[in-house]
């Protein structure tokens, strides 16, 4: 499946990177693909269900005003990426520019570098955006 | 109870801890947000009171019904009280030179910088509380071209909001202020909030000195962060930190410890990465590796 991937990648002496990704609707909060891993599917499904809340409750004019103070005058700003960290997992959400209303979600167990997880995640986003 | 909480109670005890006061103050501070960022001058409330601003930061406020003068507050916030004669001598000199008395007291070694900030915050807090209680709205803003207040002794609207929010638990607010000071990095400003039983949504209880966001934007971000931790419970109850990027540079970092939530608004991705790294446990700071190690309680802010 094009947008669903379960990657295990070894980078030198770094621990194995395990990253499960799936696309989801930001409006309905539903996964748009099947996920063969039951545990990850459940976790990503629950993460997907929060998308309408995470992306729909902050008035965009609030971010516009703060951005303006930073010299960025674009209007209608919204979050472009959200990373959530617990002691066990790293979750990442990124709305896809090429598919409005759709976001790529990912979950990875903690224990590897946050930067490494994000690099791999961004590579998956880029691959989806290029299609 | 630690020393800072004792000091906080003493400093703020004359301002009522009243939920309706907070909404009145919010209304008042919203007027300041409407002014241009560099606004310097006097916001007048008829004959009832004034707020002096420099670069939209509050330097002074006064009403007709003030219970305490700044010098009274300064005298009695130390034990034993400062000698009246010493203060009056500096006051006389300030009248001749035009120098603000507070700054002269610090320069003369009678009051510490921190002590003067606390006294000024109390004085301004009392004035704004009175204006809010009277439901007054400003009738004019008179621009000043002359500036001269020391920026160390001027306060953002966010700091004032936090001061009122801290009234019901000064010790918790003091701890939150320390947490902010220990984590906020250059290129970011921070605030702390709790879930209030009296106010709807998040209640700001601490803000760092650089935090000059509009108060309704600060409240909106704190509410969003509080909501994030709420909904995160559905997929991972242990989520303790998050980072959200927007636009070309902006980023919000939020974290929680026990029942207090924190936000850091960052002006660059680099500042956000640095702040995010700071709030991960110390072992991860050098390596960037996040390991399973409990740090926070599971209470939601």
């Amino acid at each position: 499946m094009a947008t669903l991937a379960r990657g295990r990648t070894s980078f030198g002496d770094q621990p194995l990177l395990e990253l499960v990704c799936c696309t989801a609707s930001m409006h309905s909060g539903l996964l748009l693909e099947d996920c063969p891993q039951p545990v990850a599917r459940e976790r990503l499904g629950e993460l997907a269900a929060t998308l309408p809340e995470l992306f729909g409750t902050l008035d965009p004019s609030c971010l516009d005003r703060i951005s303006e103070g930073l010299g960025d005058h674009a209007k209608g700003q919204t979050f472009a990426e959200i990373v959530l960290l617990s002691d066990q997992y790293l979750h990442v959400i990124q709305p896809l520019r090429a598919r409005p209303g759709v976001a790529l979600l990912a979950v990875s167990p903690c224990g590897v570098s946050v930067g490494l997880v994000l690099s791999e995640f961004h590579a998956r986003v880029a691959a989806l955006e290029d299609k | 109870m630690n020393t800072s909480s004792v000091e906080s109670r003493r400093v703020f005890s004359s301002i009522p801890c009243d939920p309706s006061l907070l909404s009145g103050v919010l209304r008042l501070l919203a007027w300041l947000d409407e002014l241009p960022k560099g606004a310097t001058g006097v916001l007048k409330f008829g004959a009832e009171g004034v707020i002096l601003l420099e670069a939209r930061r509050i330097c002074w406020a006064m009403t007709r019904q003030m219970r305490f003068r700044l010098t009274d507050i300064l005298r009695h916030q130390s034990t034993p009280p400062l000698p009246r004669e010493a203060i009056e001598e500096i006051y006389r000199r300030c009248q001749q030179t035009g120098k603000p008395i507070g700054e002269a007291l610090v320069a003369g070694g009678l009051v510490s910088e921190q002590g003067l900030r606390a006294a000024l915050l109390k004085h301004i807090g009392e004035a704004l509380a009175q204006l809010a209680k009277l439901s007054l709205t400003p009738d004019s803003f008179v621009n000043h071209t002359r500036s001269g207040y020391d920026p160390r002794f001027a306060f953002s609207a966010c700091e004032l909001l936090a001061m009122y929010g801290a009234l019901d638990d000064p010790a918790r607010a003091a701890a939150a202020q320390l947490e902010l000071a220990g984590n906020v990095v250059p290129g970011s400003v921070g605030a702390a909030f709790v879930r209030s039983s009296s106010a709807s949504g998040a209640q700001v209880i601490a803000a760092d000195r650089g935090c000059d966001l509009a108060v309704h934007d600060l409240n909106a971000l704190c509410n969003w962060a509080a909501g994030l931790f709420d909904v995160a419970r559905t997929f991972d109850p242990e989520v303790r930190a998050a980072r959200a990027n927007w636009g070309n540079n902006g980023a919000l970092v939020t974290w929680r410890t026990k029942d207090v939530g924190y936000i850091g608004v960052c002006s660059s991705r680099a500042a956000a990465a640095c702040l995010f790294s700071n709030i991960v446990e110390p072992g991860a700071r050098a390596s960037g590796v996040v390991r399973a190690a409990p740090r926070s309680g599971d209470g939601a802010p």
Side-chain angles (χ1 to χ4, degrees):
Chain A
M1 190 172 292
T3 56
L4 173 65
R6 176 173 179 266
R8 289 178 79 87
T9 317
S10 178
F11 293 83
D13 57 356
Q14 289 276 354
L16 284 176
L17 166 65
E18 187 167 355
L19 184 72
V20 182
C21 298
C22 199
T23 52
S25 164
M26 297 169 68
H27 302 304
S28 67
L30 296 172
L31 292 180
L32 297 176
E33 306 163 84
D34 194 17
C35 176
Q37 274 190 292
V39 174
R41 181 174 59 230
E42 188 180 344
R43 185 167 286 279
L44 288 174
E46 288 166 347
L47 177 62
T50 68
L51 292 178
E53 177 78 15
L54 291 179
F55 287 89
T57 52
L58 185 64
D59 177 3
S61 68
C62 169
L63 295 182
D64 289 350
R65 279 188 295 273
I66 297 170
S67 295
E68 209 161 302
L70 305 176
D72 181 354
H73 301 287
K75 295 291 174 198
Q77 306 247 17
T78 185
F79 290 125
E81 179 185 82
I82 300 177
V83 177
L84 301 109
L85 177 72
S86 74
D87 295 327
Q88 302 296 327
Y89 294 99
L90 186 72
H91 294 86
V92 193
I93 307 166
Q94 183 166 336
L96 299 174
R97 275 192 297 251
R99 296 173 65 184
V102 175
L104 186 67
L105 316 183
V107 59
S108 174
C110 286
V112 293
S113 156
V114 175
L116 192 61
V117 173
L118 291 178
S119 292
E120 176 66 19
F121 177 74
H122 292 154
R124 308 255 182 114
V125 170
L128 282 175
E129 299 278 27
D130 286 346
K131 285 200 168 175
Chain B
M1 189 180 293
N2 61 28
T3 312
S4 61
S5 70
V6 171
E7 192 170 72
S8 299
R9 280 181 202 282
R10 188 171 61 210
V11 168
F12 297 126
S13 61
S14 62
I15 302 174
C17 180
D18 173 2
S20 66
L21 169 67
L22 202 56
S23 60
V25 166
L26 262 173
R27 209 169 37 244
L28 203 57
L29 294 176
W31 284 98
L32 305 186
D33 287 339
E34 295 297 317
L35 295 169
K37 199 148 193 168
T40 297
V42 188
L43 195 61
K44 293 186 172 178
F45 295 77
E48 292 299 326
V50 293
I51 300 176
L52 266 61
L53 301 166
E54 190 158 309
R56 213 173 61 180
R57 292 176 72 83
I58 304 167
C59 309
W60 184 249
M62 193 71 199
T63 70
R64 286 202 311 178
Q65 301 172 1
M66 295 289 291
R67 286 170 59 196
F68 300 106
R69 293 187 308 150
L70 179 64
T71 47
D72 294 325
I73 297 170
L74 283 167
R75 276 194 70 220
H76 293 286
Q77 75 178 13
S78 65
T79 308
L82 292 172
R84 183 178 292 279
E85 302 73 33
I87 291 184
E88 285 176 351
E89 170 57 29
I90 288 184
Y91 178 70
R92 275 192 294 276
R93 255 187 281 149
C94 287
Q95 278 190 313
Q96 291 163 2
T97 61
K99 191 173 180 179
I101 184 169
E103 291 164 34
L105 289 167
V106 173
L110 281 179
V111 180
S112 68
E113 179 184 327
Q114 196 181 4
L116 177 58
R117 274 185 61 83
L120 274 169
L121 195 58
K122 175 185 164 70
H123 182 91
I124 293 169
E126 282 187 5
L128 266 60
Q130 295 228 346
L131 293 170
K133 196 174 159 191
L134 296 168
S135 299
L136 292 174
T137 54
D139 56 5
S140 64
F141 180 74
V142 180
N143 279 301
H144 284 179
T145 49
R146 187 182 67 88
S147 61
Y149 278 95
D150 188 329
R152 289 176 301 167
F153 306 119
F155 304 90
S156 70
C158 296
E159 286 178 278
L160 262 297
L161 179 67
M163 186 270 280
Y164 293 106
L167 289 173
D168 57 3
D169 193 340
R172 178 178 61 186
Q177 195 77 48
L178 283 176
E179 168 80 7
L180 280 176
N183 287 297
V184 168
V185 298
S188 68
V189 294
F193 62 92
V194 293
R195 275 290 170 71
S196 164
S197 54
S198 50
S200 61
Q203 179 172 311
V204 176
I205 61 164
D208 77 80
R209 282 194 200 184
C211 189
D212 63 349
L213 301 172
V215 288
H216 56 276
D217 288 340
L218 177 62
N219 272 332
L221 291 178
C222 291
N223 278 320
W224 183 82
L228 176 141
F229 288 117
D230 281 345
V231 298
R233 285 170 180 273
T234 61
F235 59 89
D236 188 348
E238 293 179 359
V239 166
R240 60 183 169 90
R243 188 182 75 197
N245 297 339
W246 80 88
N248 294 330
N249 303 305
L252 174 73
V253 174
T254 180
W255 72 103
R256 60 175 176 165
T257 58
K258 295 183 181 166
D259 61 340
V260 180
Y262 299 86
I263 62 162
V265 180
C266 305
S267 59
S268 70
R269 299 285 198 266
C274 195
L275 176 55
F276 197 64
S277 171
N278 275 356
I279 59 178
V280 172
E281 85 276 12
R285 290 185 190 188
S287 66
V289 175
V290 180
R291 301 193 189 287
R295 167 196 157 105
S296 62
D298 60 1

